[in-house]
Structure formats: structure tokens, C-alpha cells
Amino acid sequence: MADLGYDGKVAVITGAGGGLGRSHALELAKRGALIVVNDLGGSVDGQGGSHTAAQQVVDEIKAAGGEAVANYDSVATPEGGQAIIQTALDTFSKVDIVINNAGILRDAAFKNMTPELLEPVIDVHLKGAFYVTHAAWQHMRDQNYGRIVNTSSAAGIFGNFGQTNYGAAKAGLVGFTRVLAVEGAKNNIKANAIAPVAKSRMTEDLLGPLVDKLGPEFITPVVAWLAHEDCPVTGEVYSCGGGHVARVFTGVTQGWTDTESLTVEDIRDHFDEIRDEDGYAVPANLTEELQGTLKALGG
């Protein structure tokens, strides 16, 4: 089969000055995409800023024969999100792909969590994806095409000590992705998410000796496929790291039903049945989940 290309497609990649974002930018550019390299250039915890990181990636892309432009706006404000997308429109006249990759870490045990640790993480990860995508959304609707890839995390899907702020933001991105998939379907806009395990500035001190086997190059192919026009799925989440790729999904058990006189004691006595995972369903949206409930109720 022919290699996958992105000729003429315009991709906006946030946090693309290093790590995963840089890897995504270089790969898509190599395959013909026109890239907006967004990076505020701050520290891992979101402090400061510099134009160096984004410009270096642009220079790499251009040296390899590709086309790219740098953007240094923060994703964490509506104005920043708008400015990032405006850079794509001003330079390349459209936007086809948004890869929400920008992120910061401010870890602390929940007992030590403060607003100063919580709010910037929510702003960058969750609100940042919202603001950038929202700025691109109508343009994608107008052209009847769009691909969105959000960067979630196992910390949000499954939980991880010391990351209530980060986990809440990353779990929020799963819900964000699912709703975008529903709303974008009629306009050929597909939204999916990844939950990566990869070496980056944010993780290299956390993963120990294993980190060298978890390069960004093992994540980028998954992102690139989800961002391609041939990708058949939407609203899905993929765990990836070190060359292993797996789908993560939300399932609903068959459960237990009593429509006559449900009591607390009934829940206690039938809790094992309620939790039994045999015969689970995987709803694609709220309507499908509701249909399962109505069926159980005899409707």
C-alpha cells in the first residue's frame, strides 16, 4: 500500500518546541503537511517563555525541505487560542489538523494541592485544548473537514498519585474528545485522543531507566494516523508507548434492575451483579448508553 501523506494539509501543533510535539511536527512536515509550530517556550511547570524552541523546530523543518511557521502564544487564554489559529490562516489560509499537545506539570499530593498548582494545569491542558480547537472549529465546519488529536493520560483515565490536577485535566480531555466526535460527525470532523507513555521534559525524571525505551518516535505514528484523512474512527482513545498501541474504552456492565422498590439494601445485596463485567457494552455516545438503560427498564 502507498505511504500516507498530508500534502497541502495544514496542521497546528501546540507545545511543539520539543518532545512529543516536535516529533509530531517533523513527521507530518516530512510527509507534506504545512505546520504551525506553537510553543510558549516556558519551563516544565509553565514559568517563563522563549521563542527559541519553536523557531528551532521551524528551522529543522525548513532545512529538510518542509514548510512551517512559529507561533509563541499561550494556549491558556481564548485570545491565545485564537492567535494560534490565526497564524495558520494568515500563513497557509486554512487549518485542517489540530494536535493539542501543550502541557505543564505541577505535581503534589492532594493534601498539599493549592489553587496555584491546580489552575495553571487546568488552564494549559484542558482549557488550552478547548480554546485552540474552538478557534479552529468553524473553519473546519465550513470546509467540511477536520482532524483533532488530544493528548490525554493514564493519570486521568486510571489515576496516579500526586496528580489530581493533571489527572482531572486529562480525564476532562477524554470527555472533550467524545463530545467533539459527536458534534463534528456531520461535518467530517473526527476527534480522537492518545494516552501516551513517552520520554519528555515532563517525564524523564519519573520513568527511570525505562525512559530510554520510550522515545517520542513511538507515539508520533499513532498521532499521525489519527490525524490522517483516512482514519476511520472518531471519539476513541489509544494508549501508546515504546511501540505498544492499545485502545482504551469505557464499558458499561449488564448491571441489575429493579423497577419496583429499589432500596439501599438491594444495592448492597446485588452489588456483585452490578459490577460483573461479563457481557459489557461499549456505548459510542450518551444516546447509546441511555438506550441500554431503557432496554433494561423494559422500554
Side-chain angles (χ1 to χ4, degrees):
M1 298 179 70
D3 289 344
L4 295 171
Y6 302 80
D7 290 349
K9 292 289 191 289
V10 177
V12 173
I13 305 174
T14 67
L20 290 176
R22 171 181 171 273
S23 178
H24 304 340
L26 293 176
E27 182 67 20
L28 265 63
K30 182 177 72 175
R31 293 174 178 266
L34 314 173
I35 311 294
V36 176
V37 178
N38 161 261
D39 203 295
L40 181 64
S43 62
V44 171
D45 67 357
Q47 301 291 328
S50 168
H51 292 183
T52 303
Q55 188 58 52
Q56 284 180 340
V57 176
V58 169
D59 292 344
E60 283 186 81
I61 291 171
K62 289 184 174 180
E67 294 187 53
V69 62
N71 173 278
Y72 315 111
D73 290 287
S74 170
V75 301
T77 67
E79 297 78 15
Q82 188 64 53
I84 292 165
I85 297 302
Q86 194 62 48
T87 297
L89 300 176
D90 291 345
T91 308
F92 302 121
S93 301
K94 63 173 183 167
V95 56
D96 300 296
I97 298 165
V98 170
I99 299 174
N100 290 306
N101 171 77
I104 63 172
L105 283 179
R106 296 193 179 187
D107 293 354
F110 186 56
K111 66 184 180 64
N112 299 322
M113 189 59 63
T114 65
E116 292 74 25
L117 297 175
L118 168 67
E119 291 165 10
V121 171
I122 299 294
D123 288 345
V124 172
H125 289 277
L126 183 56
K127 291 184 179 179
F130 183 98
Y131 294 142
V132 175
T133 306
H134 192 266
W137 190 253
Q138 189 58 49
H139 300 285
M140 290 180 170
R141 282 171 51 87
D142 291 343
Q143 68 193 14
N144 209 47
Y145 181 84
R147 295 291 182 268
I148 297 156
V149 184
N150 295 317
T151 308
S152 182
S153 171
I157 300 170
F158 301 110
N160 189 42
F161 187 91
Q163 294 193 309
T164 48
N165 51 358
Y166 182 78
K170 291 304 194 182
L173 283 170
V174 174
F176 180 59
T177 300
R178 300 284 290 189
V179 176
L180 291 181
V182 172
E183 292 196 19
K186 65 180 180 181
N187 293 111
N188 191 25
I189 302 171
K190 293 181 178 179
N192 291 285
I194 60 166
V197 180
K199 179 180 180 179
S200 70
R201 286 194 306 162
M202 293 202 305
T203 62
E204 59 187 355
D205 293 332
L206 303 176
L207 296 173
L210 186 63
V211 74
D212 291 330
K213 298 181 179 179
L214 298 170
E217 66 272 15
F218 290 111
I219 308 301
T220 290
V222 183
V223 171
W225 170 239
L226 296 175
H228 196 270
E229 61 185 337
D230 291 348
C231 180
V233 302
T234 189
E236 296 190 352
V237 182
Y238 290 86
S239 169
C240 43
H244 177 71
V245 185
R247 182 184 171 201
V248 178
F249 57 86
T250 300
V252 181
T253 69
Q254 290 292 303
W256 175 81
T257 308
D258 182 346
T259 61
E260 299 298 327
S261 58
L262 190 67
T263 67
V264 177
E265 289 75 22
D266 288 332
I267 302 299
R268 176 198 64 195
D269 296 343
H270 294 276
F271 206 45
D272 287 344
E273 294 169 69
I274 292 167
R275 298 184 68 250
D276 186 354
E277 296 175 9
D278 287 345
Y280 65 82
V282 184
N285 50 52
L286 181 148
T287 300
E288 287 192 10
E289 199 276 336
L290 180 60
Q291 287 171 344
T293 299
L294 293 176
K295 182 180 178 180
L297 296 177

